[in-house]
Amino acid sequence: MSRIGVFICHCGENIGRTVDCVRVAHNLENVPGVVHSIDYKYMCSDPGQALIKQAIRELQLDGVVVGACSPHMHEKTFRKAAAAAGLNPYLCEMANLREHCSWIHEDRERATDKAIGLARFMVEKIKYNRPLATIRIPVERRALVIGGGIAGIQAALDIADGGREVILVEKEPSIGGHMSQLSETFPTLDCSQCILTPRMVEVAQHPNIQLLAYSEVESVEGYIGNFQVKIRRKARSVDEIKCNGCGECQKNCPNQKIPGEFDRGLGMRTAIYVPFPQAVPNIPVIDRAKCAFYRGKAKGVKKAVCGKCAEVCGPKAIDFDQQDSFVTEEVGAIVVATGYQLYSIGKAQESETLRGYGEYGYGAIPDVIDGLQFERLASASGPTGGKILRPSDGKEPKTIVFLQCIGSRDRAKGIEYCSKICCMYVAKHAILYHHKVDHGRAIVFYLDIRAGGKGYDEFVRRAIEESHALYLRGRVSRLFRNGDTICVHGVDTLSGEPVAIDADMVVLATAMRAQPDIASLAQKLSISYDRHGFLNEAHPKLRPVETNTAGVYLAGACQSPRDIPDSVAMASAAAAKVLGLFSNELLEREPLIARVDQLACTGCFHCERVCPYGAIERKQLKDGKGRVIKIVAEVNQGVCQGCGTCQATCPSKSVELEGFTDEQVYAAVNAL
Amino acid sequence: MNIRRMIGKTDLDVLIRDLISAGKRVIAPVRCGDSQHEALEYAPVRSPAEIHWAGPLPLRSLKEIIFPPTETLFGWKQVKSSVEIEANPNGFRETVIIGARPCDAAAFEIVDRVMGWDYRDDLWFGRRQATTILTVACPHGDESCFCPAVGLSPESARGADWFLTPADGGFEAAILTQKGEALLEPYKAQWPEPNNFSKQQLSGLESKVRANLKVQPESIRQWLEKHFDDPLWKHVALRCHGCGACAFVCPACHCFDIVDEPEGIDRGRRRRNWDACQPALFTLHGSGHNPRKDQAARFRQRIMHKFNYYPARFGEVLCTGCGRCVRVCAAGMDLIAILAEIGRRSEEAGAAS
Amino acid sequence: MQELRDLARRLLRENQVNVILGYECARRGVRPAFITEAADCDRLVFDHRCVHNLAAYLSPRRTHVRALGRPAVVIKACDARAVAGLIRESQIEREETVLIGVRCGGVVLDPADSSPLSSGNIAPRCSACDQREPALFDHLVGEPKGAPAGEASRDARLSEIEAMNPEERLGLWIGLLGRCTRCHACRQICPMCFCERCIADKTQPAWIETSPHSRGNFAWHLTRALHLAGRCVDCGECERACPARIPLGLLSRKAARSVASRYGYVVTDDPAIPTPIGSFQFDDGQEFIA
Amino acid sequence: MRLGYFPGCSLHGTAREYEESLKAVAAALHIELEEIRDWACCGATSAHATSRTLGVALPARTLMQAEKQNLDRIFAPCAACYNRLASAQHALAHDATMASQIRSILDYSPKTSVSIINIAQLLSAQAGEIQKNSKAPLNGLKIACYYGCLLVRPPEVCKFDDPEAPNSLDHIVSATGAAPVAWDMALECCGGGFSLSRTASVVRLSRAILKSARSAGAHALAVACPMCHSNLDFRQQAINKRNRDGEAMPILFLSQLVGLSLGLDPIQLGLHRHFVSPQPLLDRIGMGKLQPERREQV
Amino acid sequence: MASSFEPNIVAFVCNWCTYTGADLAGTSRISMAPNVRIIRLPCTGRIDTLFILKALERGADGIIVSGCHPADCHYTAGNYHARRRFAIFRDLMEFVGIDPHRVTFSWVSASEGGKWAEVVDRTTERVRRLGPFRTYPRLARGAGE
């Protein structure tokens, strides 16, 4: 027989006005199991709470029902009070007599009857409440950051500065990401390299950061606070310890004419190379597909075809036999900052929903380039040393036409979303062009100008008013070669006139797209992604940097198109989340999670199918002699979030959600 | 008592109409609805026309007339910390069963023994008392019948108040009990006595169904007594799905379960429901331990109960050979085959000793 | 037939399996057989009386069958769907069970009925069945069979009931389910009802009243139908086993119709296809939600 | 290979040489062309411009005929015909209301499984054969492949090539041994249906195309559409009257080029029927003289 | 009669959207019928069809099941699973003659206090018109006796 105390709150007049609290208290008095039932003006007030504590102590209550406001308002308050009096907080429940009763009804009689009913629900429910203990999971207070772009760098530094170890994994030979390729940045036009390089160096030197460049995440096991991550360290063919980054190998590499990725094919690199001078780590890697030594071996030539780099290498760091190796790291949290790729303009598209832009002859017409190539041309460290010159003949373009929304906001081309950054970088290009080529004519075809952001719209105005960029609202249908110029056929929808412009160069403002291999990474982390391949946040408004896998966070353009400030802000936010998680050795969680009755469980694993968090694990049930009797479901306490979908789905109800068990709901329904 | 009457078809109809209009519950074999095969069931009738005298054995036995699948024992209501009991008015309605098959009628007498043994089950006897049974000579037997093997026959009048034998255009009725006589009273005068008192000669049915199973219950019992642990059980129980169908259609099975069924927080009813020994749940302890751990043990219990324990205590087998368990089993469990096998083994054993 | 027996004999002799779950002739028609000796393989039969769905015997719940060791089971196309279900829901390991597929031209409803197959005695499910052989098997035996005779629309009754008004329907089902005595034959024989402890047997709390009155019976049969939605293999065993002759198939087929029309899902013998309950589409229909 | 053949109006009239060359090439490549019985106008000209329903119903009827002839593939050499047939089929497959409308009109429901192919699809599939059997490879010829507006568009209907940067014709031309030139106007409008109503426009548009082809160094234009052909071939007179851009540019049907490479007789290929004589072209690859033409040359 | 009849309705709602939406209705003082009593659960994913049956057995005349709109689920997918469960259960209920108009399914977000009031009032009205659902709890009566 339970000993339940009922405490009905008038909430001043709020409840008392329409609900006869005295009658409610009296009625509940006669309910079997109730040993104490009173009403009071303000239960949440100190004297109110004192009444509850006192009753718990003096009457040895084993359950407390507070009829007051919404539990969202005061559940914590009253549970704390109960705990203070030595009652397990989960033996205290609230009946919502205010928001769900007094505030929405006028008829005093019926409101009171309903209030009695609501309180009754809770009295019956609480008879089946179990004392629950907060769940504590040990946390491995080290973080993994995937991706060494600006977002990854920022997150890594913030966490490291917070005093926690970070493992930063970058798949390219150097960190830096797309930002390292940019010339200047909008809206301030400060030089990208100048602000990025110091951060990169900081990463390399930070005692709390372990940088694993030219590496990729192979597999992820475990759950929040306790991930085991296997990382593949791709073979550089160069010993990272021995190499001193002198660069002799590159000078002497016979193969000097390889279109460089970093310069988007506008500049050349060698077979053994460092992607760019400021690379971190400053250690070269051998491109085995291009290197004479490996090609020779592939052809089956016995003696080494080439070994120049090895010959000239002082510290003998070249290691032609190096193989991929693996390391496994224990981490408590993971920040995903894998960034983006650019829309590939050509006809070849990895997905058949994407159409490409054959009509712009990218690849066929040499002076049709994309935005990032323009960045390289404009960059002081770029192939032209910062001069804007045509790839075809190295002449200075007098007229450049910029086309916005290439690969974005166009259903016909397979992408609806807005890439967010293009309006701004085109404005930047126009301004840079104006700076570098006087009397240069910049013409921009746009659909809309999206310049939301601090100083952004001003920046666009500046492109138009100070740099005299001509903005035409409309699309371009086709580019034609016209001698050594490009004839741009488009339409100015504001004047309604078709326009044909002879341009020396055309720059396509290509959109941000999700990384091509995102699906496999998402599966490793069991996080979801939208149909464009951008990773999904846990909640679009309230949990923008979390994912639906606890302990995995997002930063930067892997979640959606983002510019640098947004990415950095998000990275810091993710870092804050990680540091918050790391603030305790033990991770505390509400014990309102699912529990499997393994005797009754048949192991059909419907629960596994419906669990949004992958919290269901398979466990072998063994008999005394260690023989497997059956395989049953088990709930991972660290992962379960307590939605209870498993229980409603379980045909035999062999899994229970603490706090909302079948017995509790049944009892409440019984009280109808 | 040896009262006999010739009852014409129309006379019988009159009797039935009178009973119905007198507010009595009249149960008889009728066509069973929503079944794609020609099947009968015992059910209340509103007019004599509904009654099927011929045709196969009704799907379920007469048991449920006296012993319903579920019945309320009492209701309860909790007030503060005490409980109020409201007795359930188990009014025993006057009932007349017309066209009962011998194997069903006989079952009542057999079960009477256990129902009135150490504790007298008032619900059972209350209904028994209020029920008059008009048995009819069995019109139809098949390969699953074996009443002769358990000491009955298609013409057995056991448990009957009247026994009806078809005779030209109607029935020759033998009135066998006071209850029967009371029922006859209003018509005693106008219905003629049969002219020849000669015992009706047996129809071919007796010999036909006798061929289905030739065993002596006693020899079965003797074997069972010595073979609680016998590989036979594991072997025969393999195909058993462990449902309660055989027990629920059996006229003699009488196990029940008592449950308290809440109808709200503070009130509910205590009911007794049919139960059966084949489902594992029957003997499952709260601890999770089950003394009859597999189907072999459960099936053995069924046979032992019917053909060993019951005769040991009450002197006769708990089976009337109606064969329903054989017909109804979707897994092809065949009591006849099993009893035959046991009989054979018993013979051998006997010969051996 | 010989093909089947020889195969069974080989499987036992080569110790590939310990027991053959098949069919044999008995005093009263055909019944399930459990053959552990190569010598007994000649008892095996397969003909139009083999209505039983032997997949039921594979479920771990059948401890006494499991005790016999590694099984080979004779399955018709319809039975194969059940086997797939058991694999899909982790009840058996595909590798641990040898599947002997048999070509089937339809079976009779009553295994004791030895008269030739006709639209009169055919099992209702067969008249609508267009699968002559399973796709899921290790061995496939038997002569190719023709499609069985049978009435065109098997679900006429279903549509008929759908057409009634709520009161009529409620009346109808009160009448039908009122006959249920909770022998649970429907559950026990069902290959997909393999729960260790059925919700109907759970007493704390007792969601489903154990008493065989219409209220308890509604809760039981509705819940069972829901649990079988997208899982029921439509082998008709529940209906065949019901001693009260309640047309239980109507409920499970209604559920099947529901998942088919809503989610385009039809139960197949491909274990890889997930069940409709436990999966979802973002744009699943929700016309009934305000 | 057996193909349903839908000539359409022009191949029996203004574009006889197209049909002649096609038949010759088909024979050489062992392709059996079976003309659809009682075919109707494809609706390209006025029908679909005036009534969408009619524009679908006409080709739908032809599809029906083809099915009754149980042809599973229909070859429509004329780009316009191809486009109408394909569009109609697309409408039947994706526009339920239209489909039912058509059903009631024809009281027959054409199944949308019949595949409709144009000359680009047909010949690029045969490219291998063409190369193998080419007796007189057209080495040294520079050809501008002109796709026009109807061959590869709209993309949802003509799925076989990139709607903005197609290359199927270039592929075929390479197979003949000739060299396709890179140029920009392969998809631009030639004036199409305005050939008679707005000659001036046609002249302007066609001229741009010819200029572009010339500047790309092409010796001739390969076309796959009778309408384009008549515009570009017949209108060159007018064009060159107004402004002397340079040598007249022979306009050849793709089938004629292929035919030449297969070593077929130019006359058999109808090369003598053009307004702009392809003679210079033939000289370039060392082929015999065409018969003296009735019409005076440009 | 029907007008004087006050239906007894129970609502099973999710904690994050509908319960909070009902709170909002309260703080906004939106008046509504007092016939509905809420039982709070974490997610529609937790709401079992057994709750509905038991409520009917206990004499509920009407039932409301409500949770987060698609894509709003606090647990990302609970409501999608619930949607399928209830779709099929509703079909079955209807099939055995339990008038589906007695059960309202709705999506009510935390910001839709007004919508919650509508759902409550509309359901109350509808069930009032249908009259009391005594049939169901009484299905147990008379069995055997």
Side-chain angles (χ1 to χ4, degrees), chain A residues 515-539:
Chain A
Q515 290 283 21
D517 50 1
I518 202 64
S520 69
L521 180 66
Q523 277 152 16
K524 287 171 193 163
L525 296 162
S526 72
I527 58 180
S528 60
Y529 50 92
D530 66 19
R531 65 201 162 86
H532 301 297
F534 289 110
L535 295 170
N536 283 344
E537 64 282 5
H539 189 286

Coordinates of all heavy atoms in Angstrom, one line a residue, chain A residues 515-539:
Chain A
Q515 N 30.4 17.2 -49.9 CA 31.5 16.4 -50.2 C 31.0 15.1 -50.9 O 30.0 14.6 -50.5 CB 32.4 16.0 -49.0 CG 33.1 17.2 -48.4 CD 34.4 17.5 -49.3 OE1 34.4 17.1 -50.4 NE2 35.3 18.3 -48.7
P516 N 31.7 14.6 -51.9 CA 31.2 13.4 -52.6 C 31.1 12.2 -51.8 O 30.1 11.4 -51.9 CB 32.2 13.2 -53.7 CG 33.4 13.9 -53.3 CD 32.9 15.1 -52.4
D517 N 32.0 12.0 -50.8 CA 32.0 10.7 -50.1 C 31.3 10.8 -48.7 O 31.6 10.1 -47.8 CB 33.5 10.3 -49.9 CG 34.3 11.4 -49.3 OD1 33.7 12.5 -49.1 OD2 35.5 11.2 -49.2
I518 N 30.4 11.8 -48.6 CA 29.8 12.1 -47.3 C 29.0 10.9 -46.8 O 29.0 10.6 -45.6 CB 28.9 13.4 -47.3 CG1 28.7 14.0 -46.0 CG2 27.5 13.0 -47.9 CD1 30.0 14.5 -45.4
A519 N 28.4 10.2 -47.7 CA 27.5 9.1 -47.2 C 28.2 8.1 -46.4 O 27.8 7.7 -45.3 CB 26.9 8.4 -48.4
S520 N 29.4 7.7 -46.8 CA 30.2 6.7 -46.1 C 30.6 7.2 -44.7 O 30.5 6.5 -43.7 CB 31.4 6.2 -46.9 OG 32.4 7.3 -46.9
L521 N 31.0 8.4 -44.6 CA 31.4 9.0 -43.3 C 30.1 9.1 -42.4 O 30.2 8.7 -41.3 CB 31.9 10.4 -43.5 CG 32.4 11.1 -42.2 CD1 33.5 10.4 -41.6 CD2 32.7 12.6 -42.4
A522 N 29.0 9.5 -43.0 CA 27.8 9.6 -42.2 C 27.4 8.3 -41.6 O 27.0 8.1 -40.5 CB 26.6 10.2 -43.1
Q523 N 27.6 7.2 -42.5 CA 27.2 5.9 -42.0 C 28.2 5.5 -40.8 O 27.8 5.0 -39.8 CB 27.3 4.8 -43.1 CG 26.1 4.8 -43.9 CD 26.3 4.4 -45.4 OE1 27.4 3.8 -45.7 NE2 25.4 4.7 -46.2
K524 N 29.5 5.8 -41.0 CA 30.4 5.4 -39.9 C 30.0 6.1 -38.6 O 30.1 5.5 -37.5 CB 31.8 5.9 -40.3 CG 32.5 5.0 -41.4 CD 33.8 5.7 -41.9 CE 34.3 5.0 -43.1 NZ 35.3 5.8 -43.8
L525 N 29.5 7.3 -38.7 CA 29.1 8.1 -37.5 C 27.7 7.9 -37.1 O 27.2 8.5 -36.1 CB 29.4 9.6 -37.7 CG 30.9 10.0 -37.9 CD1 31.0 11.3 -38.6 CD2 31.6 9.9 -36.6
S526 N 26.9 7.1 -37.9 CA 25.5 7.0 -37.8 C 24.8 8.3 -37.6 O 24.1 8.5 -36.7 CB 25.1 6.0 -36.8 OG 25.3 6.4 -35.5
I527 N 25.1 9.3 -38.5 CA 24.4 10.6 -38.5 C 23.7 10.7 -39.9 O 24.1 10.0 -40.8 CB 25.3 11.8 -38.3 CG1 26.4 11.8 -39.3 CG2 25.9 11.7 -36.9 CD1 27.4 13.0 -39.1
S528 N 22.7 11.5 -40.0 CA 21.9 11.6 -41.2 C 22.3 12.8 -42.1 O 23.0 13.7 -41.6 CB 20.4 11.7 -40.9 OG 20.2 12.9 -40.1
Y529 N 22.0 12.7 -43.3 CA 22.3 13.9 -44.3 C 21.1 14.1 -45.2 O 20.3 13.2 -45.4 CB 23.5 13.5 -45.1 CG 23.5 12.2 -45.7 CD1 23.1 12.0 -47.0 CD2 24.0 11.1 -45.1 CE1 23.1 10.8 -47.6 CE2 24.0 9.8 -45.7 CZ 23.5 9.7 -47.0 OH 23.5 8.4 -47.6
D530 N 20.9 15.3 -45.7 CA 19.8 15.6 -46.5 C 20.1 15.1 -48.0 O 21.1 14.6 -48.2 CB 19.5 17.1 -46.5 CG 20.6 17.9 -47.2 OD1 21.4 17.4 -47.9 OD2 20.6 19.1 -46.9
R531 N 19.1 15.3 -48.8 CA 19.2 14.7 -50.2 C 20.3 15.3 -51.0 O 20.7 14.8 -52.0 CB 17.9 14.7 -50.9 CG 17.4 16.0 -51.3 CD 15.8 16.0 -51.5 NE 15.3 17.3 -51.4 CZ 15.3 18.1 -52.4 NH1 15.8 17.8 -53.6 NH2 14.8 19.4 -52.3
H532 N 20.8 16.5 -50.5 CA 21.9 17.1 -51.3 C 23.3 16.6 -50.7 O 24.3 16.9 -51.3 CB 21.9 18.6 -51.1 CG 20.6 19.2 -51.7 ND1 20.3 19.1 -53.0 CD2 19.6 19.9 -51.1 CE1 19.1 19.7 -53.2 NE2 18.7 20.2 -52.0
G533 N 23.2 15.9 -49.6 CA 24.4 15.3 -49.0 C 25.0 16.2 -47.9 O 26.0 15.9 -47.3
F534 N 24.3 17.3 -47.5 CA 24.7 18.1 -46.4 C 24.2 17.4 -45.1 O 23.1 16.8 -45.0 CB 24.1 19.5 -46.4 CG 24.8 20.3 -47.5 CD1 24.0 20.7 -48.6 CD2 26.1 20.7 -47.4 CE1 24.6 21.4 -49.7 CE2 26.7 21.5 -48.4 CZ 25.9 21.9 -49.5
L535 N 25.1 17.4 -44.1 CA 24.8 16.6 -42.8 C 23.7 17.3 -42.1 O 23.6 18.5 -42.1 CB 26.1 16.5 -42.0 CG 27.2 15.7 -42.6 CD1 28.5 15.9 -41.8 CD2 26.8 14.3 -42.7
N536 N 22.9 16.5 -41.4 CA 21.7 17.0 -40.7 C 22.1 17.4 -39.2 O 22.7 16.6 -38.5 CB 20.6 16.0 -40.7 CG 19.9 16.0 -42.0 OD1 20.1 16.9 -42.9 ND2 19.1 15.0 -42.3
E537 N 21.6 18.5 -38.8 CA 21.7 18.9 -37.4 C 20.6 18.3 -36.6 O 19.6 17.8 -37.2 CB 21.7 20.5 -37.3 CG 20.3 21.1 -37.7 CD 20.2 21.2 -39.2 OE1 21.0 20.7 -40.0 OE2 19.1 21.7 -39.7
A538 N 20.7 18.2 -35.3 CA 19.8 17.5 -34.5 C 18.4 18.3 -34.5 O 17.4 17.7 -34.5 CB 20.3 17.4 -33.0
H539 N 18.5 19.6 -34.5 CA 17.3 20.4 -34.5 C 17.6 21.7 -35.3 O 18.6 22.3 -34.9 CB 16.8 20.7 -33.1 CG 15.4 21.4 -33.2 ND1 15.2 22.7 -33.5 CD2 14.2 20.9 -32.9 CE1 13.9 23.0 -33.4 NE2 13.3 21.9 -33.1

